[in-house]
Amino acid sequence: MNQKLVFRILVVSLLFVSISCSKDESDSGNDSGKIKTDKQTQLLQQTIPASGGYLEISGSASPLEGLRLEVPEGCYQESKTFNISYSTITSHELGQYFNPISPLIEIQNGSDQSAKFMSLRIPIQLNQGEYAMAYYYDRKTGQLEGLPVEKITDSYIEVSIRHFSLLVISKIQKELLIQGGGFHTLFDPKQNGWSFVNYGTYPEPEGICAGMSIGAAYYYKNFKTNVNLYSYFDNDLLWFRTSDYWPDDARGLQFATAIHRIQEVFWSNNNESILKMLDAPDEDRFWNLIYAILINNQAQLVFVKNSQIDTAHMIIAFGYTINPTEAIINVYDPNYPGLESTITFDMTTNKFKPYTSAINAKALEDGTTFNCDKIAFIPFSAAMSPDEMDFLWQKVQSGTIANGLFPAFKVYAVPKDPAFTKVELNIEDNTKINYIPFGEFDFEVAGLDPNATLKMEEISFYPGIGLERTVPAQTVKMENKDTLIGLYLYATPSGQLYDKWLGFEYFKIQVQDIWIEPADTSIAINTDLKLIARHNGSAPKRARFSWNFGDSNSDTSTDSTIIHKYDQPGDYDIELIITDLESQKEVAKAKTTVNVTIWPRIAITLKGMDTNPPSTIKASDGADIPSISWANKNIITAPNLSWNKNDFVVDFQFNLDPAVYTCRIQGSVSADFKKITYLNAIYTGIAGGGDWNYQAAIVMQNFPLEVYLPKQIIGKILTGTEAQSKVSQISWKVTTIDNQGNPKEQTLKSIDWNSNQTELSVFFYDK
């Protein structure tokens, strides 16, 4: 985990939304009763501006006299009002090792997670041989979560904090922890760690240690009673397990990469606030860590760093043994898959012994290691907010975790026989069968950076036998007409020396003597779909073609071509049965899938005014241009959009007296239909035998889509600079020739993108 990495814009496209931390835990209606208190006392309400500041409780004669909160500049984008109150603890049910020495403190400021660490000082009273630690308390679940210490004295404890809820300080006799001999959470790196190694991935080539550690800790805390992490993500794409082959654990690699990307943005911009934790004495950081493990009974995140270089690493601590001279902390390091590593603390010198690791597993193999002399406990909610993790977990469940993070690509089966054309393979649903008419082909991957030095290997699956690897990928010869083939993609990112995991896909492939064209296509509802039964010479001379369209409709003819319309959106499985009319026997079957979309119409409009000038769009002669549009929506004779999965296109011509116009609109939408990833539209017009010519073109990218009218219209209107950010290119030109044959040209002079009167809209319509 490199602390010098800069913010990357891809994080924005990964999340799409702003995520804040959990709500303040003050709702007494959901009280576990693990901590019981008397009535609440309000102490302070104070607003701190975005430029930062501090608040302090003084003259209150309360147990929180001297509490101080320091809020650095940049923690929040706007001013925040802090409310501080407390309740005296009357009893608790949190075990013998929890001994509260503070009231239950409540700090509220609107629930936002801060962009930087803040420092919170809380007054305490400690005796010799005692250690104190601050904890979050979740009223609903009754769970505690430790906070990292910055400084501790007999009269106060200072901790790093990123969000607020209920807080409490607990103390313990150090000797009691030593006499206990140790504690283990039952976390097992072989079962609760990842199947893959921290080699890094294509979007995060330096390593994904934080993503792997946070992901493993999150899964262990929330789902350890279900299938263990190692098994859950083991080839989660299909029904069989490949425990000795990790590249096909695609969703796990994507999940860990997504966590790491978000987490690293925070850590790479907060070196100064992180140093406060790392600069705490070793002894305080040691007791901080083991007391967190003991109280929480959960695997804890640990941040390790060399004090001389800006290179850091994240691991998991899950147990410890301790005696008067030495303590051994059990850790899971993503660089050592399935193994238990250890950190040693010298009880006589009160110092951590350096822990050896590397930025990633490849560096470890090459011997490029570093000794970590700075070791600190990091609470889970400081590394990633629970809402962030829940959001990413939902994306794992929906299969969209890679969107906006890993490069999008398409995979084709390219026949060796030039008589056939290549077939795009289905990477959206690997349970679907890919029907191809040829038995020998090469894989082709399209859509990636040509400078990425893509490499591929094949994995063939044989039931009862297992996997057979072909490295590098070679021409596939379909010895069986029905088989399962995996494709592992890896590439060297720009500026890197080694290949990194990019993706893995399994394909069910079946060779057919008879097939249907087009295969696996998408169309709009109520659009003519032309289906053709193709064959490689195996069809009888006199044949009957029986079609089942998957929508309760069927048809039979002696013609190999048929046209059908669908009036409802959805996925439809089309089946063709061919019968030899001479023998009256069924001789062949073929299947394909069609996706019917509800969006046959589109309108793109750049508007500079409503009815009255001036317009924010100006021509070169100063004239107002009210608006520029590209659409098949209002042209009755225009065809519907033609869809191929997420790609759409329409070409048409129409007359608008006295001119003839030609239009082409093409583009692509994201898999979840949340944005137009790319759009290119052009109008040309001609009149008077060429005396008048018109041209308008626009290129757009990453335009957001929202539901405008459910099942009728989706799209959005953007204004001003927000609209400008989506436009890559735009042009407008009108050329006329006067009676003397002199040409006059009007071009686009300016667009006032600073005005909210400038509107860019894109809408899809169902009819």
Side-chain angles (χ1 to χ4, degrees):
M1 184 171 60
N2 191 325
Q3 288 181 272
K4 285 188 174 180
L5 291 180
V6 298
F7 182 89
R8 296 178 219 178
I9 194 68
L10 195 54
V11 175
V12 178
S13 64
L14 171 67
L15 283 181
F16 299 112
V17 295
S18 173
I19 304 176
S20 64
C21 72
S22 304
K23 291 183 178 180
D24 291 331
E25 307 289 351
S26 58
D27 183 2
S28 59
N30 293 308
D31 194 341
S32 65
K34 294 291 185 180
I35 293 181
K36 293 182 172 60
T37 63
D38 61 10
K39 64 180 182 179
Q40 189 176 62
T41 301
Q42 179 75 28
L43 278 181
L44 178 71
Q45 183 180 82
Q46 182 176 325
T47 299
I48 296 180
S51 59
Y54 72 93
L55 57 80
E56 186 170 3
I57 295 176
S58 61
S60 66
S62 77
L64 296 184
E65 181 71 16
L67 181 146
R68 177 186 172 96
L69 174 67
E70 182 181 349
V71 183
E73 182 179 5
C75 283
Y76 301 102
Q77 294 182 352
E78 56 188 17
S79 62
K80 287 288 179 182
T81 299
F82 292 81
N83 290 279
I84 301 178
S85 59
Y86 74 93
S87 304
T88 301
I89 296 175
T90 56
S91 64
H92 71 84
E93 300 174 10
L94 294 173
Q96 61 176 322
Y97 299 113
F98 178 71
N99 302 291
I101 57 172
S102 75
L104 190 61
I105 306 163
E106 183 166 358
I107 303 178
Q108 294 184 343
N109 73 338
S111 303
D112 289 342
Q113 183 116 328
S114 65
K116 295 181 179 181
F117 275 115
M118 299 168 284
S119 291
L120 176 65
R121 177 179 292 186
I122 302 172
I124 58 173
Q125 290 183 351
L126 279 185
N127 299 315
Q128 187 174 2
E130 294 179 333
Y131 183 76
M133 187 166 178
Y135 291 92
Y136 285 120
Y137 173 64
D138 186 322
R139 190 191 299 274
K140 182 177 181 181
T141 65
Q143 293 181 339
L144 298 167
E145 182 186 37
L147 286 161
V149 65
E150 293 180 1
K151 188 176 182 180
I152 185 169
T153 70
D154 292 343
S155 59
Y156 69 83
I157 180 173
E158 197 161 278
V159 295
S160 295
I161 193 166
R162 285 191 67 197
H163 67 91
F164 299 99
S165 59
L166 299 173
L167 301 164
V168 64
I169 311 297
S170 173
K171 72 175 182 178
I172 194 166
Q173 289 282 346
K174 297 176 185 177
E175 187 61 32
L176 183 63
L177 293 175
I178 296 173
Q179 291 175 2
F183 184 79
H184 201 290
T185 63
L186 302 181
F187 182 98
D188 181 356
K190 292 181 180 179
Q191 302 295 320
N192 307 117
W194 294 97
S195 60
F196 46 86
V197 193
N198 179 34
Y199 285 117
T201 56
Y202 190 80
E204 287 292 335
E206 297 290 345
I208 53 173
C209 63
M212 293 176 66
S213 295
I214 295 170
Y218 173 82
Y219 189 90
Y220 186 72
K221 179 181 179 181
N222 294 282
F223 309 109
K224 65 182 177 182
T225 57
N226 301 326
V227 179
N228 63 60
L229 177 74
Y230 191 98
S231 299
Y232 183 85
F233 284 99
D234 180 20
N235 184 23
D236 64 322
L237 299 177
L238 287 174
W239 69 94
F240 59 93
R241 294 290 174 252
T242 55
S243 57
D244 57 348
Y245 184 73
W246 62 263
D248 62 357
D249 300 348
R251 206 159 290 175
L253 282 152
Q254 294 160 352
F255 182 42
T257 301
I259 298 169
H260 191 92
R261 171 60 60 86
I262 297 170
Q263 185 272 347
E264 192 164 78
V265 168
F266 170 75
W267 290 96
S268 62
N269 287 281
N270 285 278
N271 290 355
E272 184 177 343
S273 60
I274 293 169
L275 289 177
K276 288 187 177 181
M277 291 182 291
L278 297 178
D279 287 342
D282 281 32
E283 182 181 11
D284 290 342
R285 285 186 273 113
F286 165 72
W287 294 112
N288 195 229
L289 174 57
I290 67 167
Y291 199 15
I293 294 173
L294 178 66
I295 285 288
N296 292 118
N297 189 20
Q298 291 290 341
Q300 302 294 329
L301 300 175
V302 178
F303 189 76
V304 296
K305 183 182 182 299
N306 183 287
S307 58
Q308 303 302 313
I309 57 176
D310 276 338
T311 301
H313 189 49
M314 189 175 284
I315 58 179
I316 286 177
F318 54 85
Y320 65 90
T321 56
I322 186 171
N323 62 53
T325 60
E326 186 180 70
I328 304 296
I329 301 170
N330 313 99
V331 299
Y332 161 64
D333 188 328
N335 290 336
Y336 302 92
L339 299 177
E340 180 178 304
S341 301
T342 58
I343 293 175
T344 302
F345 183 78
D346 190 325
M347 299 289 290
T348 58
T349 63
N350 285 323
K351 293 288 185 182
F352 281 109
K353 292 183 178 180
Y355 173 77
T356 301
S357 195
I359 192 170
N360 57 47
K362 180 60 179 173
L364 188 68
E365 293 169 1
D366 292 343
T368 309
T369 61
F370 55 91
N371 289 325
C372 303
D373 56 342
K374 294 287 189 179
I375 298 167
F377 153 71
I378 302 295
F380 185 91
S381 63
M384 293 278 289
S385 80
D387 284 349
E388 284 175 324
M389 288 302 300
D390 291 344
F391 174 76
L392 293 181
W393 184 250
Q394 291 170 10
K395 289 173 73 68
V396 170
Q397 302 306 301
S398 65
T400 61
I401 188 64
N403 294 356
L405 179 62
F406 283 82
F409 57 85
K410 296 180 179 181
V411 179
Y412 296 89
V414 182
K416 301 298 288 186
D417 186 343
F420 298 99
T421 58
K422 65 183 181 182
V423 174
E424 183 180 351
L425 301 177
N426 191 327
I427 62 175
E428 301 297 328
D429 184 355
N430 52 32
T431 64
K432 293 282 188 180
I433 296 176
N434 295 272
Y435 299 103
I436 62 174
F438 40 81
E440 194 172 355
F441 64 90
D442 293 312
F443 282 112
E444 176 185 290
V445 178
L448 297 177
D449 181 354
N451 298 317
T453 62
L454 177 69
K455 298 176 184 177
M456 299 182 284
E457 70 177 52
E458 297 162 15
I459 304 295
S460 299
F461 175 72
Y462 299 99
I465 299 176
L467 299 178
E468 181 180 291
R469 298 177 64 180
T470 305
V471 185
Q474 299 175 7
T475 298
V476 177
K477 296 181 180 179
M478 297 283 290
E479 298 178 2
N480 300 314
K481 285 193 173 184
D482 192 353
T483 191
L484 178 70
I485 300 178
L487 187 65
Y488 171 28
L489 305 178
Y490 47 100
T492 305
S494 176
Q496 296 291 313
L497 298 176
Y498 303 108
D499 296 324
K500 303 296 178 180
W501 189 94
L502 193 151
F504 191 99
E505 300 290 342
Y506 273 114
F507 301 104
K508 291 182 177 180
I509 299 176
Q510 188 176 112
V511 179
Q512 291 184 305
D513 296 327
I514 303 291
W515 66 98
I516 303 170
E517 289 185 355
D520 294 326
T521 190
S522 294
I523 61 166
I525 59 171
N526 300 315
T527 300
D528 286 342
L529 171 63
K530 185 178 181 180
L531 299 166
I532 305 173
R534 301 288 191 187
H535 63 90
N536 53 17
S538 60
K541 292 182 179 180
R542 294 183 61 236
R544 180 172 66 239
F545 299 88
S546 301
W547 299 86
N548 185 327
F549 301 109
D551 61 349
S552 301
N553 291 304
S554 59
D555 203 348
T556 301
S557 74
T558 56
D559 193 337
S560 61
T561 299
I562 200 165
I563 292 176
H564 185 68
K565 289 183 179 180
Y566 291 92
D567 59 8
Q568 294 293 326
D571 291 323
Y572 296 94
D573 294 323
I574 300 173
E575 184 175 29
L576 168 65
I577 298 176
I578 301 178
T579 303
D580 186 343
L581 293 176
E582 297 288 346
S583 63
Q584 291 298 312
K585 291 183 178 180
E586 180 183 308
V587 295
K589 285 184 178 181
K591 292 182 179 180
T592 191
T593 302
V594 62
N595 172 258
V596 181
T597 180
I598 200 169
W599 311 117
R601 297 274 166 170
I602 190 172
I604 307 112
T605 304
L606 177 66
K607 188 174 72 170
M609 56 179 266
D610 289 317
T611 55
N612 299 317
S615 174
T616 59
I617 309 172
K618 300 290 186 182
S620 54
D621 60 358
D624 287 312
I625 304 175
S627 64
I628 310 172
S629 66
W630 304 261
N632 70 337
K633 172 67 175 74
N634 298 316
I635 309 301
I636 297 176
T637 57
N640 289 334
L641 294 175
S642 179
W643 288 86
N644 184 3
K645 293 189 176 178
N646 295 93
D647 299 326
F648 60 89
V649 64
V650 64
D651 289 283
F652 59 96
Q653 190 177 85
F654 65 97
N655 295 325
L656 189 60
D657 190 52
V660 177
Y661 289 87
T662 300
C663 182
R664 178 177 177 81
I665 304 171
Q666 63 178 348
S668 180
V669 297
S670 58
D672 57 3
F673 248 87
K674 295 294 186 182
K675 67 176 178 179
I676 297 173
T677 55
Y678 174 80
L679 186 145
N680 182 3
I682 183 169
Y683 257 145
T684 59
I686 186 170
D691 289 344
W692 181 88
N693 286 274
Y694 173 83
Q695 179 180 305
I698 190 169
V699 178
M700 299 163 49
Q701 58 188 5
N702 297 324
F703 190 94
L705 297 174
E706 296 179 355
V707 175
Y708 199 78
L709 290 175
K711 296 186 179 181
Q712 297 181 49
I713 305 173
I714 62 169
K716 195 173 178 66
I717 300 174
L718 299 181
T719 61
T721 55
E722 189 178 14
Q724 182 185 21
S725 68
K726 309 304 178 185
V727 178
S728 301
Q729 299 177 37
I730 186 167
S731 63
W732 179 90
K733 182 171 67 174
V734 176
T735 304
T736 57
I737 298 177
D738 62 19
N739 295 333
Q740 285 74 42
N742 299 315
K744 178 184 177 183
E745 187 175 273
Q746 281 180 295
T747 58
L748 180 63
K749 178 183 179 181
S750 65
I751 302 172
D752 185 3
W753 293 109
N754 291 317
S755 171
N756 285 334
Q757 185 175 308
T758 305
E759 294 183 354
L760 176 65
S761 65
V762 181
F763 288 102
F764 288 91
Y765 301 82
D766 69 336
K767 57 185 177 180

